[in-house]
């Protein structure tokens, strides 16, 4: 990932147009026209056939330019591009927009090879270009520019870029940057997200995505950007073609589009379904100016108050809310009392609040004030249909003072056209969001609620296994897989698959594999205990029930012998090609209240290993009630995965059916996550059904497909899992000291550590004193992205035997992995014990292993203890910064 020289792309002081032209309709002429007279920097045309263009001298070649252009826009034939990039790099140009289309693979590679020695960044090729309105920079061949604003738009489609420009122009929505990525030979979505995440002009990021080439880079950049500002995208391609060949239910269900949804959720972004909704999201963000998105994600925002002057409009809004999973907030008794006093007797007396079509202005004001004062704090959707009683503009003018006092609580829908145009514009001018229909307004709010829910999962990179869980028997699982691969098999037998699950603490029903012989199966059943289930074993038969290969509730030897004979006859008739390897006999599990679930794993071509959960049983593909998550999972992420399915409601208690043991279910999901992290050979895993009830979970059937190529494992995770290999223990002060990466489960322990620091120690670390730490900041400190930052904690058992944190060192690398900025703090009563030095050695060794070039920090000049430690470790200590009272320190790695 790299943002190197992207400031030259989006904030250049000078631009050269290579292929600038006066020929009407040409790309070179359009780009020149868009820049000339608008761009506020130096502008240089290059064309060997022209002497001047619009009064500006034209250079014949790059070498003839009077000054080095910071950015170049190339509009010349494909064969010329690599040479031009080499010339520009030699002149010192640091970025280029290659609008040219039609470069073949060799030409693209030659272009990149020419750029690499000069660190010249390339947008494109085959793109429309970019627009940065704050500079008057329209380095594109779009038909118009954009007004300056706070929303960035990045698109793989040039056509959609021009469409959004046109749409935004009509609605007076401004943008910080527009970028058409084209073929993304160099600059891609990950680079753009990293750049825009810290761009002061950008408040929100919109994207049109067709494909992702570097998933871990994309996920790290998206998670970092989404933590700072809203990231909203629309992605093309929802089909699940190519799944027909899957060998398991999981493979059939886990379509790539569901996996992309899981990636969006995990990164804290918001995905919308259509371009119209992308535009709707853009409008909402522009009007709300981040006020709602910046608030804490309270569940009360998933409920609405609806205020309307017409019952029909209120019903439509209520229906839309129900369809989208939003509720209507109940009216508090005090609110009802106020509304009864202000409204006529025939008002709706509930939510939606229908104030009747003959309402005068004051009735609107009183009703809105009552709802805004309601203790539920729910947002208010105001709906108005024009009447002859009061002009809509008068109502808007009366409501504006209320609306502007609580702007994050109100959204509006002025139904109609001419009669409400002035009122609608009045609200828009005051930055109150306006929508054309009740359904559109509700959908806009639902998108914000969904975004906030995704934010709750942002930067969750937990350990593969919870700290208090016993470790799995990884060696036993690997032995089972190695035996199957040595035999040339890719499908584990059912007993083998269950043995692998059992090694990862996932409960399985007792199962014995025997020959397809009546005496053998009866002996196995006697050993297990009656009743039993009988299942066929064949490498060629994946779904046994499809061929009658399953018999249940066999209560005695006669039933078992008869079932075996019938099963063998049926399987041989329906699948004469299948070799029968034997049968399994397993205990018959009888749980009257159990729900049938499916848990699985498969490998996505882009995002790597994925986890599936949903409703199980023989009709699993027909029901298609499932959700996908990207591992690694911890309990909160497992819980979120379960809640995204319809079957989640059945897991709750109802009538005489007790609730499922959710903790056991979540542990099973975390176990599967750890399994696919440890066992890179696992290609597909299918537990169906997984029975769940109040007593826990148990796997009745399991399939696992493996590959000697080991295509999975933690190395393929799109989100880097907890690096357990970095945990280190050593003797210390007569006991044991542990140095390890921080983890999300450390939140309360880390809070206790920070609360024990003296105000002076905190000031030395963050340059100011503070009374408390916000929960959101604490989460940020413990839920880190291990792909681009690291925090090592030193821990030891306390007097009560429980682990306590003694110190922490943290470093965050820039996207280019050149500089990593660090900070270190040790518990106040442990100063001078050598703990800080141990933590620093740990961090320095880690960053060197990651290829980071330099470790840097800013230290208060009075922090002599830290400065002495830095010097002892080989840091270069700079002079005191004038007026700042700080010193810069750095260590070359």
């Amino acid at each position: 990932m790299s943002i190197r020289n992207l400031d030259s792309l989006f904030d250049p002081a000078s631009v050269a147009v290579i292929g600038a032209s006066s020929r009407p309709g040409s790309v070179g002429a359009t780009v020149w026209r868009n820049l000339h007279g608008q761009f506020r920097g130096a502008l240089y045309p290059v064309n060997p056939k022209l002497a001047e263009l619009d009064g500006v001298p034209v250079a014949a070649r790059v070498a003839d330019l009077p000054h080095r252009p910071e950015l170049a826009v190339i509009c010349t034939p494909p064969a010329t591009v690599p040479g031009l990039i080499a010339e520009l790099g030699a002149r010192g140009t640091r970025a280029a927009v290659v609008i040219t289309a039609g470069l073949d693979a060799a030409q693209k590679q030659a272009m990149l090879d020419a750029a690499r020695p000069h660190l010249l960044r390339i947008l494109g090729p085959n793109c429309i270009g970019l627009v940065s309105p704050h500079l008057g920079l329209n380095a594109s061949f779009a038909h118009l520019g954009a007004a300056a604003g706070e929303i960035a738009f990045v698109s793989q489609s040039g056509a959609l870029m021009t469409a959004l420009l046109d749409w935004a122009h009509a609605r007076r929505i401004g943008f910080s940057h527009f970028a058409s990525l084209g073929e993304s030979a160099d600059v891609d979505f990950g680079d753009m997200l990293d750049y825009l995440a810290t761009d002061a002009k950008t408040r929100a990021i919109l994207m049109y995505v067709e494909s992702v080439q570097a998933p871990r880079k994309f996920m790290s950049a998206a998670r970092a950007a989404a933590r700072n500002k809203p990231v909203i995208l629309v992605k093309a391609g929802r089909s699940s073609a190519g799944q027909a060949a899957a060998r398991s239910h999981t493979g059939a269900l886990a379509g790539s589009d569901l996996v992309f949804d899981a990636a969006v959720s995990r990164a804290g972004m918001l995905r919308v379904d259509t371009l119209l909704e992308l535009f709707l999201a853009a409008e909402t963000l522009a009007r709300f100016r981040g006020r709602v998105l910046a608030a804490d994600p309270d569940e009360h925002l998933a409920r609405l108050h609806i205020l309307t002057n017409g019952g029909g409009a209120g019903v439509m809004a209520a229906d839309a809310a129900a369809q989208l999973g939003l509720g209507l907030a109940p009216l508090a008794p005090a609110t009802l009392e106020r509304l009864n006093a202000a409204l006529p007797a025939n008002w709706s007396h509930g939510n939606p609040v229908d104030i009747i079509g003959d309402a005068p202005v004051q009735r609107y004001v009183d009703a809105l004030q009552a709802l805004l004062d309601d203790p539920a704090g729910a947002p208010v959707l105001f709906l108005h249909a024009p009447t002859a009683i009061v002009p809509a503009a008068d109502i808007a003018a009366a409501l504006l003072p209320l609306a502007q006092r609580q702007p994050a609580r109100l959204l509006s829908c002025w139904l109609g056209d001419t009669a409400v145009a002035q009122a609608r514009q009045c609200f828009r001018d005051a930055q109150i969001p306006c929508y054309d229909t009740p359904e559109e307004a509700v959908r806009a709010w639902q998108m914000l609620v969904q975004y906030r829910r995704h934010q709750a999962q942002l930067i969750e990179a937990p350990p593969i296994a919870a700290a208090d869980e016993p470790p799995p028997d990884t060696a036993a699982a690997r032995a089972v897989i190695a035996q199957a691969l040595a035999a040339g098999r890719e499908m584990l037998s059912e007993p083998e698959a269950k043995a692998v699950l059992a090694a990862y603490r996932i409960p399985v029903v007792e199962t014995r594999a025997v020959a397809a012989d009546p005496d053998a199966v009866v002996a196995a059943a006697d050993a297990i205990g009656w009743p039993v289930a009988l299942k066929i074993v064949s490498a060629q038969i994946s779904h046994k029930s499809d061929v009658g290969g399953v018999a249940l509730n066999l209560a005695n030897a006669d039933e078992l012998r008869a079932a075996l004979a019938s099963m063998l006859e049926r399987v041989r008739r329906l699948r004469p090609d299948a070799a029968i390897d034997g049968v399994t006999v397993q205990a018959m599990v009888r749980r009257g209240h159990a729900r049938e679930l499916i848990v699985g794993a498969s490998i996505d071509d882009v995002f790597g290993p994925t986890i599936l959960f949903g409703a199980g049983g023989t009709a699993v593909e027909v029901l298609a009630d499932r959700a996908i998550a990207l591992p690694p999972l911890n309990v909160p992420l497992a819980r979120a995965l379960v809640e995204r399915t319809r079957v989640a409601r059945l897991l709750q208690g109802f009538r005489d059916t007790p609730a499922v043991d959710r903790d056991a279910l979540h542990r099973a999901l975390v176990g599967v996550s750890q399994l696919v992290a440890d066992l890179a050979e696992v290609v597909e895993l299918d537990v169906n059904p997984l029975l769940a009830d109040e007593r826990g979970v148990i796997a009745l059937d399991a399939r696992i497909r493996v590959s000697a190529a080991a295509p999975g494992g933690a190395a393929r995770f799109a989100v880097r899992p907890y690096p357990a290999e970095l945990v280190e223990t050593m003797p210390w002060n007569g006991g044991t000291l542990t140095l390890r990466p921080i983890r999300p489960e450390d939140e309360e322990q880390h809070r206790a550590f920070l609360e024990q620091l003296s105000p002076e120690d905190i000031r030395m670390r963050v340059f100011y004193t503070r009374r408390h730490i916000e929960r959101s900041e604490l989460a940020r400190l413990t839920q880190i992205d291990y792909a681009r930052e690291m925090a090592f904690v030193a821990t030891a058992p306390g007097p009560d035997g429980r682990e306590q944190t003694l110190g922490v060192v943290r470093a965050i690398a820039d996207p280019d992995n050149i500089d990593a900025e660090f900070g270190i703090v040790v518990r106040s009563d442990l100063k001078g014990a050598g703990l800080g030095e141990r933590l620093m050695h740990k961090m320095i060794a880690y960053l060197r292993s990651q290829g980071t070039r330099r470790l840097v920090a800013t230290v208060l000049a009075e922090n002599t203890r830290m400065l002495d430690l830095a010097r002892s470790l080989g840091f270069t200590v700079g002079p005191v910064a004038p007026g700042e009272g700080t010193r810069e320190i750095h260590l070359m790695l």
Side-chain angles (χ1 to χ4, degrees):
M1 62 195 77
S2 178
I3 58 171
R4 193 176 306 166
N5 292 332
L6 289 190
D7 52 347
S8 294
L9 189 66
F10 291 101
D11 193 19
S14 57
V15 178
V17 181
I18 317 297
S21 174
S22 59
R23 180 166 54 88
S26 67
V27 172
T30 305
V31 172
W32 175 257
R33 185 191 68 232
N34 284 343
L35 285 165
H36 185 249
Q38 304 296 323
F39 178 54
R40 291 190 276 276
L43 190 60
Y44 308 116
V46 179
N47 190 325
K49 299 178 181 179
L50 297 175
E52 65 87 25
L53 188 58
D54 293 332
V56 180
V58 179
R61 299 176 302 277
V62 170
D64 297 332
L65 289 169
H67 302 286
R68 170 190 69 87
E70 191 172 0
L71 170 66
V73 186
I74 298 177
C75 314
T76 57
T80 67
V81 173
L84 287 169
I85 291 293
E87 292 180 55
L88 289 163
R91 282 298 306 268
T93 300
R94 290 294 172 258
V97 179
V98 181
I99 289 178
T100 306
L103 276 73
D104 59 29
Q107 289 168 333
K108 277 191 283 190
Q109 189 58 52
M111 173 188 73
L112 294 173
D113 291 343
R116 188 170 294 111
H118 310 288
L119 303 179
L120 189 152
R121 304 307 304 277
I122 295 172
L123 184 68
N126 189 21
C127 68
I128 282 185
L130 67 89
V131 182
S132 291
H134 295 275
L135 289 175
L137 177 69
N138 184 354
S140 76
F141 64 95
H143 63 298
L144 48 77
E150 298 177 314
I151 294 176
F153 181 70
V154 183
S155 175
Q156 277 182 300
S157 166
L160 296 185
M161 174 178 167
T162 58
L164 189 58
L165 279 170
D166 199 61
W167 176 87
H169 180 75
R171 286 160 176 78
R172 295 188 291 177
I173 291 178
F175 292 86
S176 59
H177 303 287
F178 257 85
S180 164
L181 295 184
E183 296 178 32
S184 303
D186 174 24
V187 177
D188 62 11
F189 280 113
D191 299 327
M192 291 299 305
L193 285 165
D194 273 324
Y195 177 79
L196 295 170
T198 57
D199 178 51
K201 300 180 183 68
T202 300
R203 181 179 51 79
I205 304 168
L206 305 183
M207 301 191 299
Y208 169 79
V209 181
E210 291 177 352
S211 60
V212 173
Q213 286 80 31
R216 184 169 283 187
K217 169 185 173 180
F218 174 79
M219 288 296 291
S220 284
R223 293 166 74 196
R227 192 169 188 89
N228 292 331
K229 55 194 69 172
V231 180
I232 300 177
L233 61 87
V234 61
K235 182 185 181 294
R238 284 189 172 273
S239 66
S240 57
Q243 297 297 320
R247 298 292 299 274
S248 70
H249 294 296
T250 297
L253 291 170
S256 60
D257 194 65
L258 284 175
V259 175
F260 190 84
D261 278 342
V264 168
S265 173
R266 185 66 179 269
M269 301 184 290
L270 173 68
R271 181 184 184 182
V272 297
D273 295 330
T274 66
L275 284 176
L276 179 61
E277 290 187 345
L278 185 67
F279 297 159
L280 182 63
E283 172 109 4
T284 302
L285 289 172
R287 304 309 178 196
F288 269 92
R289 294 187 180 274
R291 292 172 301 208
V292 172
L293 296 174
D296 290 332
D298 296 324
E299 276 304 310
H300 70 261
L301 290 173
R303 299 185 297 174
L304 287 168
H305 281 136
I306 298 174
L307 173 61
T308 178
N309 70 333
V315 171
M316 292 172 67
D319 287 347
Q323 188 174 10
L324 292 172
L326 299 178
L328 299 185
L331 299 174
T335 304
L336 276 170
E337 186 176 342
R338 288 180 62 176
L339 291 172
N340 282 329
L343 303 180
N346 60 336
W347 80 280
S348 57
H349 295 280
N351 188 9
V353 177
D354 180 3
I355 63 174
I356 314 302
D358 64 352
V361 169
Q362 191 58 43
R363 194 184 297 172
Y364 286 91
V365 173
D366 293 341
L368 180 59
Q369 184 66 71
L371 292 178
L372 291 175
D373 291 342
D374 187 90
V380 179
L381 169 56
F382 171 72
L383 307 171
H384 175 77
T387 71
I389 304 297
V390 181
D394 292 352
I395 297 169
L399 294 181
L400 270 183
L402 293 179
Q404 291 173 324
R405 284 202 291 270
Q406 298 191 57
R409 293 274 308 282
L410 182 65
L411 55 161
S412 67
C413 172
W414 298 89
L415 292 162
D417 193 353
T418 305
V420 297
Q422 185 179 349
R424 185 182 291 138
Q425 194 58 53
C426 177
F427 263 43
R428 281 180 172 159
D429 288 344
Q431 303 301 323
I432 305 301
C434 288
Y435 304 95
D436 293 336
T437 67
E439 294 86 354
E440 187 180 83
V442 172
R443 173 59 176 144
W445 192 263
Q446 187 268 343
M447 287 191 293
L448 296 183
V449 171
Q450 185 64 40
Y451 169 79
R452 291 154 63 89
R453 287 171 177 164
H454 289 178
Q455 285 282 295
Q457 297 181 46
L458 183 56
I459 306 194
E460 278 276 12
I464 296 172
D468 56 351
E469 288 292 318
D473 191 347
T474 306
R478 286 181 173 147
V480 171
I481 292 172
Q483 182 179 3
L485 290 173
R489 291 185 289 115
E490 68 171 20
M491 292 298 297
L492 302 187
S493 68
E494 183 184 353
E496 289 172 332
K498 287 179 176 175
V500 171
L501 293 178
Y504 278 81
R505 317 301 181 215
I506 299 168
V508 297
V509 64
E510 184 179 356
T511 303
R512 298 195 180 192
V514 297
D517 173 79
D519 293 337
V521 297
V522 170
D526 285 338
I528 292 173
W530 303 88
V532 296
L534 181 70
K535 299 180 182 179
I536 201 74
V537 175
S538 171
Q540 290 79 39
I541 300 174
S542 181
H543 302 302
K544 296 178 280 291
S545 59
D546 292 350
V547 293
V550 178
L552 305 176
N553 288 313
L554 304 173
N556 53 54
D558 291 341
E559 289 184 12
L560 181 57
R561 292 175 188 274
L564 175 64
S566 177
M567 181 182 296
L568 292 175
E569 185 279 326
R570 187 165 50 250
V571 171
R572 286 168 179 154
R573 173 168 45 83
L574 295 176
R575 289 293 305 273
D577 60 308
I580 297 174
D581 303 317
V583 293
T584 62
V585 181
Q586 67 183 47
M588 192 68 209
V589 177
R590 290 178 170 174
R591 294 189 175 183
H593 295 137
R595 285 69 135 186
E596 290 190 338
L597 307 172
I598 180 172
V599 172
S602 62
I603 299 177
D604 181 70
D605 290 340
V606 176
F607 290 97
T610 63
I611 307 295
L612 176 141
F613 170 80
T618 56
V620 62
E621 281 103 349
V622 177
L623 295 173
D625 174 24
R626 79 285 197 195
I628 306 289
L630 299 185
L633 298 183
N634 62 1
V635 170
L637 291 171
R639 183 184 304 115
L641 172 62
V642 171
E643 291 302 321
R644 293 203 301 272
T645 61
R646 297 189 303 275
V647 76
R649 286 176 289 180
L650 290 177
L651 304 182
Q652 302 169 6
F654 57 92
R655 294 188 177 179
D656 63 339
T657 302
V660 161
D661 181 349
R662 292 290 189 104
D663 291 340
L665 176 58
H666 298 156
R667 285 195 300 271
L669 286 165
V670 172
V672 169
S673 171
Q674 185 174 0
L675 186 156
V676 298
D678 293 343
L679 308 177
E681 296 84 0
V682 173
V683 177
E684 284 182 355
L685 180 150
D686 201 60
V687 181
N688 181 36
L690 178 75
L691 291 188
D693 63 9
E694 71 280 7
R695 290 179 284 176
V697 298
I698 188 167
L700 296 193
D701 201 355
R703 300 179 188 84
I704 295 179
R705 183 162 71 92
V706 296
S707 169
R716 283 288 320 277
F717 281 15
V719 177
R720 184 182 176 187
Y722 183 77
E725 68 278 5
L726 298 176
V727 178
E728 180 182 4
T729 60
M730 61 192 71
W732 188 72
N733 281 358
T736 300
L737 179 72
T738 300
L739 302 183
R740 61 169 175 79
I742 203 166
R743 59 194 181 203
E745 286 79 359
D746 288 332
E747 186 172 305
E748 286 307 312
Q749 182 175 316
H750 205 65
R751 182 195 298 276
F753 163 70
L754 295 174
E755 289 175 348
Q756 291 182 60
L757 297 176
S758 69
E760 182 65 11
D761 283 332
I762 295 174
R763 188 178 71 85
M764 289 294 180
R765 173 65 182 87
V766 297
F767 302 175
Y768 63 92
T769 57
R770 56 196 310 180
R771 294 181 179 275
H772 66 281
I773 183 169
E774 297 291 339
R775 194 272 158 187
S776 58
E777 185 176 354
L778 193 63
R780 176 68 185 87
L781 294 174
T782 56
Q783 298 176 14
I784 68 173
D785 181 355
Y786 301 108
R788 59 171 54 189
E789 61 184 303
M790 181 54 69
F792 289 113
V793 291
T795 69
D800 59 357
R802 299 175 62 183
E803 184 185 59
Q804 57 182 230
T805 297
L806 311 180
V808 59
V809 61
R810 184 180 306 273
I812 301 176
D814 64 39
D816 295 310
N817 200 30
I818 295 174
D819 283 350
E821 185 172 2
F822 81 95
I824 182 171
V825 63
V826 173
R827 208 171 72 186
S828 304
D829 61 327
L830 296 175
K831 296 281 178 62
L835 190 57
E837 184 176 0
R838 293 195 186 200
L839 283 167
M840 287 300 300
H841 280 302
K842 179 83 171 173
M843 182 60 77
I844 290 168
Y846 171 75
L847 292 174
R848 281 188 171 133
S849 74
Q850 300 301 300
T852 309
R853 297 187 190 178
R854 197 169 70 143
L855 187 58
V856 302
T858 301
V859 182
L860 284 173
E862 62 192 276
N863 192 352
T864 56
R865 190 185 293 273
M866 182 65 232
L867 293 172
D868 289 342
L869 175 60
R871 290 188 183 98
S872 71
L873 293 169
F875 279 79
T876 298
V877 178
V880 178
E884 299 291 335
T886 60
R887 290 177 181 264
E888 300 295 326
I889 65 174
H890 72 269
L891 175 68
M892 299 306 298
L893 299 176

